[in-house]
Structure formats: structure tokens, C-alpha cells
């Protein structure tokens, strides 16, 4: 079993670290082919989308043809960069038109404060304010390093996000109510061999880091072409 785990992790690391070719002026199809993206097909990671109706940790239509699964840590500066610089354009270009769905996965790798932040975000999600909390936290993140996450600071982000019942929120954020779900996300990341955050699966095609926006749009456009041809 240990040998199988090592093999799986090694393959995952190769998948996630061996596909970054930077930006460029080539067409989306040509750029995506360098990543091994085949229009209309699920990539090597398999279909990771849950497509759960009403999932507060997801954005976009349940039946969107492309699903981007994000594995992230709230103390990760590159996760913050994705949230601030890349995700808004993906939402405007694809999510709002029903072409893309974004699903969040917790991968708290920077200690107990990252785990606490993951609990807090899920407590906000219980009151329909997950993405508002997510954006408030990342908007305040520094460009580098792993910012401290105190209880008061996290509660402040919740208030900024408009969480209505702060008393209920505080009780849940200090409990272990969400630990099993967070652990399940982390276990999935480990099984996939994800080496760092943020990491993404776009219809099963891996991407690591806050790559230029064009890297994401090239893959998404190619996959949408496959849908058009289906």
C-alpha cells in the first residue's frame, strides 16, 4: 500500500508540475495541445466535479460543460493572486454565461491557522456567504508570505462578508463540525499527488499555480470547442 501511495503521488507531481508552458500568442487550441488537452475528453485526473445542486462552495451552473476544481489554502499568497487577478475574469467570461462551474476544495497546508480559516469559511458558507468571505480574506492578503489568521481577524472578514448571525458563526467556527469535510478534500489532494497550492483540475486537466489568465482561458476555450463539436 505504501508503494502504491508513493507511485500515485509521484505521478501526480509529474502531472501538476510538467504542464506549465507560460503565456504566449498562439491560439487557444495550439496552447492547450501543449498541455495535452483533447477537446471533449476528460483529462488524466478524471472527473473530479461533484456538481452538487445548491453547493455553497461552488459557483456556476450544475450542468456547465467545463468544471474547474480549485485546491487552495487561505494563507497561500498565490491562491490570493488567483482570487484577485484571475477568477473574476473567469467568472465574467464563462461562469455568468453558464459555460464554467468553479468548485472549491480545502487544502490547508500551512498549519493550524490554515485549518482554522478553512473552518471559518465553511461556517460562513452555512449562512450563504462563502464566496463573500473568500474574497474578503484574499483581498486583504499580502503579496507574499503566509499571513496570520487570528480568531478576531477571521471574524472581521465574516462581518465584512455580511454573515448575518455572528453568534452562530462564532460557535461553528470554533467547533470541529467541518473537520471531516475538510479532511476529505485534503485526502483527495494527497491521492492526486498535488504538491502545492493553488492547484486546479479543469475537466480533469491539471494546472498548478496562479498561471497567467491566458493559461486558464486557453484550456477552457479548447474544452468548449469540444462541446460545440459534440
Amino acid at each position: 500500500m505504501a508503494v502504491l501511495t508513493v507511485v500515485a503521488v509521484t505521478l501526480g507531481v509529474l502531472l501538476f508540475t510538467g504542464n506549465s508552458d507560460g503565456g504566449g500568442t498562439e491560439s487557444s487550441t495550439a496552447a492547450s495541445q501543449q498541455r495535452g488537452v483533447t477537446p471533449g475528453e476528460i483529462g488524466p485526473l478524471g472527473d473530479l466535479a461533484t456538481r452538487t445542486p445548491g453547493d455553497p462552495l461552488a459557483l456556476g451552473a450544475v450542468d456547465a460543460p467545463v468544471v474547474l476544481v480549485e485546491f487552495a489554502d487561505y494563507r497561500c499568497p498565490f491562491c490570493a493572486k488567483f482570487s484577485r487577478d484571475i477568477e473574476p475574469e473567469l467568472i465574467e467570461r464563462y461562469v455568468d454565461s453558464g459555460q464554467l462551474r468553479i468548485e472549491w476544495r480545502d487544502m490547508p497546508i500551512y498549519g493550524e491557522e490554515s485549518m482554522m480559516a478553512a473552518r471559518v469559511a465553511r461556517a460562513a458558507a452555512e449562512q450563504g456567504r462563502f464566496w463573500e468571505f473568500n474574497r474578503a480574506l484574499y483581498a486583504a492578503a499580502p503579496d507574499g508570505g503566509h499571513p496570520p489568521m487570528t480568531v478576531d481577524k477571521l471574524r472581521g472578514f465574516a462581518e465584512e462578508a455580511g454573515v448575518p448571525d455572528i453568534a452562530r458563526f462564532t460557535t461553528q467556527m470554533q467547533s470541529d463540525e467541518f473537520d471531516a469535510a475538510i479532511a476529505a478534500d485534503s485526502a483527495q489532494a494527497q491521492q492526486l499527488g498535488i504538491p502545492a497550492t493553488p492547484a486546479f483540475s479543469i475537466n480533469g486537466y491539471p494546472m498548478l499555480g496562479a498561471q497567467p489568465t491566458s493559461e486558464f482561458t486557453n484550456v477552457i476555450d479548447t474544452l468548449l470547442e469540444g462541446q460545440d463539436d459534440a
Side-chain angles (χ1 to χ4, degrees):
M1 182 63 71
V3 173
L4 291 175
T5 300
V6 170
V7 170
V9 170
T10 301
L11 289 174
V13 170
L14 289 173
L15 283 172
F16 275 98
T17 59
N19 59 64
S20 177
D21 53 86
T25 58
E26 56 197 329
S27 71
S28 62
T29 300
S32 296
Q33 284 175 346
Q34 289 189 14
R35 287 186 172 275
V37 177
T38 302
E41 292 188 9
I42 297 295
L45 298 179
D47 188 357
L48 304 184
T50 60
R51 298 183 182 272
T52 303
D55 182 359
L57 275 64
L59 287 172
V62 173
D63 60 351
V66 179
V67 179
L68 182 152
V69 177
E70 175 187 5
F71 292 85
D73 182 302
Y74 287 106
R75 300 178 68 211
C76 163
F78 298 106
C79 299
K81 178 176 175 58
F82 174 80
S83 174
R84 293 192 301 249
D85 300 344
I86 301 166
E87 188 174 64
E89 183 169 346
L90 299 184
I91 291 171
E92 181 179 355
R93 290 181 60 173
Y94 304 107
V95 175
D96 290 346
S97 61
Q99 298 174 295
L100 176 70
R101 178 176 173 86
I102 298 175
E103 295 186 356
W104 175 272
R105 301 287 190 273
D106 281 305
M107 188 177 166
I109 59 176
Y110 294 114
E112 179 55 33
E113 290 183 19
S114 292
M115 183 66 180
M116 181 168 62
R119 293 188 189 108
V120 171
R122 287 179 181 257
E126 288 289 296
Q127 299 188 47
R129 291 293 189 273
F130 173 79
W131 291 102
E132 291 82 356
F133 172 87
N134 185 294
R135 290 168 189 144
L137 185 152
Y138 281 139
D143 291 334
H146 311 299
M149 292 293 168
T150 65
V151 171
D152 288 343
K153 187 175 182 179
L154 291 166
R155 188 183 290 112
F157 290 136
E159 292 171 351
E160 182 181 344
V163 173
D165 189 340
I166 292 297
R168 174 191 170 197
F169 165 84
T170 301
T171 298
Q172 288 186 306
M173 69 175 273
Q174 294 176 331
S175 74
D176 62 359
E177 179 177 347
F178 309 111
D179 286 13
I182 295 169
D185 284 358
S186 296
Q188 183 182 44
Q190 184 176 16
Q191 290 167 359
L192 292 169
I194 295 176
T197 56
F200 308 90
S201 167
I202 308 175
N203 276 18
Y205 292 95
M207 190 177 298
L208 185 66
Q211 298 289 329
T213 303
S214 61
E215 290 289 291
F216 292 90
T217 60
N218 286 341
V219 174
I220 294 168
D221 287 342
T222 299
L223 291 169
L224 290 174
E225 289 173 12
Q227 293 295 325
D228 293 339
D229 295 339

